[in-house]
Amino acid sequence: MSARTWLRAGLAFLAVAQFAVGGWALFFPRSFFDIPWVGMRMPYNAHLMMDYGAMSLATSVVLGVSVFIVRQSMTRTALAVYLVFAAPHLAIHIRLLHHLTPGERVPLLTALTAAVVIPLILLPLTSRLEKA
């Protein structure tokens, strides 16, 4: 597969994931919060959940546009936007693991680590794209 194909597939995956998570958190914040590794046994905050959902939806737009405008500047920007969120998000949750059972930690760390690794793998592929 070409770099463009890998980038499109990776960006589409990230966009769809962000869209799904964002929509869930924005429109069904209580349900989203009730996932053990989201709420982490802390007090519910509807405002925070809906803000997170809106931010995730906004991120999905940038990632989604980059699926169709596969240019170096666009894909790098989309991946950078995503990483600026995903890397600190992973670090924050690592600091808060004590709120979770060992069985809850595994899916959380798997998903959040993948959220950082995927764009880090895709970023070098952008050097093979035309500049715009």
Side-chain angles (χ1 to χ4, degrees):
M1 276 204 279
S2 70
R4 179 179 298 276
T5 302
W6 278 108
L7 278 166
R8 275 195 161 144
L11 290 163
F13 173 79
L14 294 173
V16 168
Q18 283 299 106
F19 184 81
V21 167
W24 187 2
L26 180 61
F27 297 112
F28 305 100
R30 185 70 214 201
S31 169
F32 184 74
F33 183 83
D34 286 342
I35 299 169
W37 52 83
V38 173
M40 301 183 84
R41 295 172 183 78
M42 296 178 189
Y44 175 64
N45 185 323
H47 173 227
L48 178 63
M49 287 296 95
M50 289 184 284
D51 276 355
Y52 171 78
M55 183 278 312
S56 293
L57 285 175
T59 303
S60 77
V61 170
V62 175
L63 291 163
V65 168
S66 69
V67 171
F68 299 100
I69 302 175
V70 189
R71 302 255 191 247
Q72 191 178 76
S73 61
M74 184 66 214
T75 55
R76 284 182 176 172
T77 299
L79 291 168
V81 165
Y82 187 75
L83 276 169
V84 165
F85 169 74
H89 190 210
L90 172 60
I92 290 163
H93 276 276
I94 288 171
R95 287 185 31 226
L96 297 173
L97 286 177
H98 63 279
H99 288 282
L100 301 174
T101 67
E104 294 166 339
R105 293 174 190 165
V106 172
L108 172 71
L109 291 177
T110 300
L112 296 182
T113 300
V116 173
V117 170
I118 291 169
L120 287 175
I121 289 170
L122 295 175
L123 264 173
L125 297 177
T126 64
S127 64
R128 299 182 191 171
L129 299 173
E130 63 272 11
K131 296 179 181 179

